[in-house]
Amino acid sequence: MGKEYGVIGFPVGHSMSPFMHNDAFSQLGIDAIYRSIQIEPAELEVKVKELKENEIAGFNVTMPHKVAIMNYLDEVDEVAKSIGAVNTVVLCNGKYKGYNTDGLGFVKGIVEQYGSLQDKRILLVGAGGACRAIFHTLASLGIESVDIANRTIEKAEQLKEACSYPVQSKVISLETAEQRIEKYDMIVNTTTVGMLPRVNEKSLSLKGIKKNSIVADIVYNPLETLFLKEAKQQGASIQNGLPMFVYQGAIAFELWTGQKPDVKRMTYIVEQQLKK
Ligand code: ATR
């Protein structure tokens, strides 16, 4: 029998990961299967024990288990520890190790399209889980000019304080961010504002941004949020949340199998699912 993989979450039925990973296994001739595994929060410990007893080869972790899963792993990678959340678990030499590929997935998607982020002045909007993953990953890569704007300032302060890597970032209000928006080379919405059904909302006004700036959104449903529409009108280059989603999966796939999946094909598979 082939190896087993999956994604644990609650709810998890809507996940597009099984389509993406099962197609990649088949493309590369790997005898493995990836399935959605719904686990209620109260059952996490027991169900994860069962998965380990069955020697699951690896799994993704989605809401609401990304933080709690860390209690049931043998090891956690340094970046995931700094973020305080795990989205990928790998069985290696009999031990289950947790990683977080969300932030690196975002960075790879941007770098692939726009090149190095090293000298860019970056603004992250939000202070939730996705922001933590992106901010701590950027800091771990030595990218220092990353400011955070959030509706609740204290939440952004806590996020910055929790980072284990040296950073020079400023925490600012949404109003201050809007006033100095022309200073940034890249602006990223890391909140779920703008995602279906909240399609008429945006986390920040982009009036006055630099013409050649990059504006990214972690949301991919819809593919073009109100935030990205405004950015386009202002002459910015835009990127939706699809590359981040696909690359977080591609990095997890490589951690599990040691093989690089075809990212273009993975993107195509997810796009087909989104059209359904
Ligand atoms: P989590 O990962 O914590 O579940 P999320 O729900 O994806 O996070 O996003 C939460 C982020 O969106 C928070 O930064 C939140 O701001 P607060 O910390 O002030 O709550 C932000 N957010 C939610 N609705 C918003 C809105 N209408 N305008 C601006 N930011 C908003």
Side-chain angles (χ1 to χ4, degrees), residues 63 126-130 150-152 155 174 191-193 198 201 203:
M63 301 312 290
N150 193 46
R151 192 174 57 179
T152 312
K155 227 171 126 185
L174 296 177
T191 76
T192 48
V193 180
R198 301 171 70 184
E201 294 175 45
S203 55

Side-chain angles (χ1 to χ4, degrees), residues 18-47:
F19 300 99
M20 187 166 83
H21 288 292
N22 284 324
D23 182 77
F25 286 141
S26 124
Q27 287 295 310
L28 290 164
I30 298 171
D31 183 14
I33 185 158
Y34 183 110
R35 61 195 171 92
S36 294
I37 305 163
Q38 180 146 305
I39 299 180
E40 286 189 31
E43 294 192 315
L44 185 65
E45 182 171 9
V46 173
K47 295 289 179 188

Side-chain angles (χ1 to χ4, degrees), residues 119-135:
D119 300 319
K120 298 224 180 336
R121 300 189 65 178
I122 302 172
L123 173 70
L124 303 182
V125 186
C131 189
R132 220 163 53 222
I134 294 171
F135 181 80

Side-chain angles (χ1 to χ4, degrees), residues 101-110 134 186 188 216 218 239 244:
T101 69
D102 287 329
L104 201 53
F106 172 78
V107 173
K108 277 205 163 193
I110 289 285
I134 294 171
M186 182 167 95
V188 188
I218 64 153
Q239 177 151 307
M244 175 180 177

